[in-house]
Amino acid sequence: MAVDNPSIIDFISITPENEVQLTISDHLNWDDENHFLHLQNKINSYLEVVESNQIYEIYPEAIGKQIAINVALKYKPNKNAKDFLNEIAIFLKSNNFNFDYSVIK
């Protein structure tokens, strides 16, 4: 379970707001030159699972619920990373997905 393994959904849960939250476990440092690509690939994999309706086979509780993607970061994002994460948020929100990230201490 990690950001650099796009074939696995790291965590699925229901939030207090009754959304289905797909969480990405991101352990990479922002100095890693492939970090942005790994995160983009992981998010794209999550979107494929949702758009293909596989999410309902994997997690039937998702039926009829809003989908949210969350990234649990090990390292605080630098300016470039924040800009990248904000672009992801804009894109996902424009496609009816909620998005958030947080640094896990």
Side-chain angles (χ1 to χ4, degrees):
M1 295 187 301
V3 68
D4 52 355
N5 185 351
S7 64
I8 302 287
I9 294 177
D10 297 339
F11 301 99
I12 303 175
S13 60
I14 302 287
T15 68
E17 295 80 22
N18 206 30
E19 292 180 323
V20 173
Q21 182 167 281
L22 307 177
T23 300
I24 296 170
S25 177
D26 189 333
H27 67 288
L28 298 177
N29 189 302
W30 291 103
D31 294 333
D32 182 324
E33 63 186 44
N34 293 313
H35 191 169
F36 294 87
L37 181 60
H38 286 308
L39 184 54
Q40 182 176 351
N41 288 339
K42 186 81 166 193
I43 290 170
N44 286 339
S45 292
Y46 279 26
L47 293 175
E48 286 178 29
V49 167
V50 173
E51 291 172 351
S52 69
N53 293 325
Q54 287 177 322
I55 187 68
Y56 305 124
E57 296 170 22
I58 297 167
Y59 197 74
E61 294 90 341
I63 295 172
K65 292 184 173 55
Q66 175 69 36
I67 303 292
I69 296 176
N70 176 267
V71 183
L73 301 167
K74 181 175 181 179
Y75 297 101
K76 183 178 177 181
N78 59 28
K79 178 167 179 356
N80 288 341
K82 285 181 184 178
D83 291 344
F84 181 70
L85 292 164
N86 287 334
E87 288 297 318
I88 290 171
I90 291 167
F91 171 78
L92 290 175
K93 287 181 190 221
S94 73
N95 286 284
N96 202 32
F97 295 96
N98 290 332
F99 177 79
D100 198 8
Y101 65 90
S102 58
V103 178
I104 304 301
K105 297 181 180 180

